[in-house]
């Protein structure tokens, strides 16, 4: 009797998971913009996978299978939101997100602030390079060039020789 109940519950979970995964695929094809497609690809897909795996574990009824199912669910729950977040940010920064459909847009201020910081860093780097270049030019102008071809060579040979034993 218990086996029959677990088999029916397993079938219901697998069908529910398959339906959610199918709905995720339809949402990816039908939704108009990147963020809606991303939402459709992550939310129901993760839940659908969890339901299918739970139904599978109810069929297997082993500890080894439970451990593997737990690892797959844990990995999926850790990676799907992070990947969706990164795809969303990349899409936003490249202009693939329709901002007219957004109810709240908190990322614009962050992107503008990051651009301002990058501009300031670029200006500071350019100023540092110009200062270094000016210092090197001033340092080179302070030393007059010796017109004799071997004038600097005798001094360096004397320094390289070191103290002489007498």
């Amino acid at each position: 009797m218990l086996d029959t109940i677990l088999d029916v519950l397993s079938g219901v979970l697998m069908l529910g998971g398959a339906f959610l995964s199918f709905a995720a695929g339809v949402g990816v094809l039908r939704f108009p913009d990147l963020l809606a497609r991303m939402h459709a690809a992550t939310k129901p897909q993760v839940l659908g996978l969890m339901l299918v795996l739970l139904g599978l574990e109810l069929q297997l009824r082993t500890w080894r299978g439970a451990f593997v199912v737990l690892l797959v669910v844990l990995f999926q729950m850790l990676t799907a939101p992070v990947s969706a977040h990164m795809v969303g940010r990349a899409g936003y920064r490249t202009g693939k997100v329709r901002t007219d459909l957004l109810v709240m847009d908190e990322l614009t201020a962050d992107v503008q602030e990051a651009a301002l910081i990058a501009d300031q860093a670029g200006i500071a780097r350019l100023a540092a390079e110009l200062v270094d270049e000016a210092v090197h030019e001033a340092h080179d102008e302070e030393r007059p060039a010796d017109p004799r071809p071997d004038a600097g060579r005798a001094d360096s040979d004397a320094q390289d020789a070191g103290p002489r034993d007498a």
Side-chain angles (χ1 to χ4, degrees):
M1 178 72 178
L2 182 63
D3 287 342
T4 306
I5 292 173
L6 289 177
D7 288 342
V8 169
L9 184 60
S10 172
V12 169
L13 288 173
M14 285 188 185
L15 286 174
F19 175 74
L20 283 173
S21 296
F22 177 74
V26 169
V28 168
L29 293 175
R30 300 286 298 173
F31 283 155
D33 66 326
L34 174 74
L35 296 180
R37 288 179 181 165
M38 209 173 52
H39 180 78
T42 54
K43 302 281 187 204
Q45 183 268 335
V46 170
L47 182 58
L49 177 68
M50 289 171 49
L51 289 177
V52 167
L53 290 174
L54 184 59
L56 176 67
E57 178 49 37
L58 287 178
Q59 281 294 313
L60 294 176
R61 298 183 191 119
T62 63
W63 288 108
R64 180 180 286 179
F67 179 70
V68 171
V69 165
L70 181 68
L71 284 178
V72 170
V73 167
L74 182 66
F75 183 73
Q76 185 70 23
M77 289 184 70
L78 288 174
T79 58
V82 173
S83 64
H85 177 77
M86 297 309 293
V87 167
R89 284 184 71 94
Y92 188 89
R93 288 177 187 254
T94 58
K96 303 293 186 210
V97 174
R98 290 180 48 190
T99 55
D100 59 324
L101 296 177
L102 297 178
V103 175
M104 185 184 319
D105 185 8
E106 296 175 348
L107 193 55
T108 298
D110 292 342
V111 169
Q112 290 172 348
E113 183 180 344
L116 180 64
I117 290 171
D119 287 345
Q120 290 172 349
I123 291 171
R125 190 176 321 120
L126 180 62
E129 289 173 4
L130 290 174
V131 167
D132 285 344
E133 189 176 306
V135 166
H136 288 298
E137 286 177 6
H139 185 61
D140 290 342
E141 289 175 2
E142 288 176 2
R143 284 191 188 168
D146 199 347
R148 298 178 294 163
D150 292 340
R153 195 169 141 199
D155 292 339
S156 65
D157 290 342
Q159 290 175 354
D160 290 341
R164 295 185 184 215
D165 294 330

